[in-house]
Amino acid sequence: MQRPPTVDEVRPGQCPACDVSSRPAGGTLGLHGYGLRERHQWGPADPSGVALLVGILLRRYRCLSCGTVVMVVPRGVLRGRLYSAGAIALALALWSVAGLSPAEVRRRVSPLRIVGATAAAGWASLRRWSRAVREGRLFSVVRALPAEATLRQVAARAATTLAACAPGAGGLALDSAAFLGASM
Ligand SMILES: [Zn+2]
């Protein structure tokens, strides 16, 4: 995260679309560097840190065989989501297990300093993420709960499951462990 990786450091082993090898022995490269793309990652860099909006540079590759463009994304970056995996897990844990109000969770996890009626009323993202977990679109490692489970119960299941994925997190608070487990 501190610097963009070089083209060779993160070149995928093969094209995900046509399976051509990226570095055939003695042959020409199958996947060529195709520049850098910037994207933003929201949320704290560690469980107790200040919420940030970080710009990261992602490497792209183009398959010479089929033309597919591949983007290589660091661990903890979720496709199609602004917040990091760790930030979302932290938010779900603080809301469901630690019992913080949505407004407090937002203050810890969101880099946006929104004040006023919207912030006081809560944080729609918590329910949206929990719904995505329930539908298997986010953190697919989390086992499904019965349909009558509340979104908060789904969030708690996600937090405890992700915390269990964190290596050596035995002495950590559940929210910190969930952050680390989701970032793996
Ligand atoms: Zn290809």
Side-chain angles (χ1 to χ4, degrees):
M1 295 294 243
Q2 300 308 313
R3 61 163 178 86
T6 67
V7 176
D8 283 328
E9 277 172 342
V10 294
R11 186 191 310 277
Q14 61 185 50
C15 171
C18 73
D19 292 341
V20 73
S21 170
S22 71
R23 255 185 281 227
T28 52
L29 284 172
L31 289 176
H32 273 211
Y34 201 58
L36 291 162
R37 214 11 112 70
E38 184 180 23
R39 64 161 277 181
H40 293 147
Q41 168 106 302
W42 295 19
D46 61 77
S48 53
V50 176
L52 304 169
L53 200 164
V54 181
I56 49 177
L57 291 168
L58 305 177
R59 281 256 168 238
R60 294 197 306 165
Y61 297 84
R62 187 164 179 276
C63 176
L64 291 192
S65 168
C66 72
T68 296
V69 174
V70 186
M71 180 127 76
V72 176
V73 174
R75 266 196 291 274
V77 174
L78 296 172
R79 187 188 197 86
R81 295 194 188 273
L82 291 167
Y83 284 87
S84 68
I88 295 176
L90 176 66
L92 295 180
L94 291 174
W95 178 51
S96 66
V97 181
L100 266 56
S101 73
E104 287 172 277
V105 177
R106 174 185 226 154
R107 266 196 296 281
R108 287 275 305 273
V109 179
S110 172
L112 302 182
R113 291 291 163 251
I114 298 174
V115 292
T118 312
W123 195 19
S125 299
L126 293 171
R127 305 182 67 78
R128 200 167 55 238
W129 290 329
S130 302
R131 214 171 287 125
V133 172
R134 169 185 274 166
E135 293 164 8
R137 293 181 285 112
L138 174 62
F139 300 139
S140 54
V141 61
V142 180
R143 275 189 301 124
L145 279 169
E148 62 270 20
T150 64
L151 287 177
R152 208 168 170 140
Q153 287 169 334
V154 172
R157 165 71 64 86
T160 50
T161 303
L162 292 166
C165 298
L172 286 179
L174 183 101
D175 47 281
S176 297
F179 178 100
L180 296 175
S183 307
M184 297 292 299

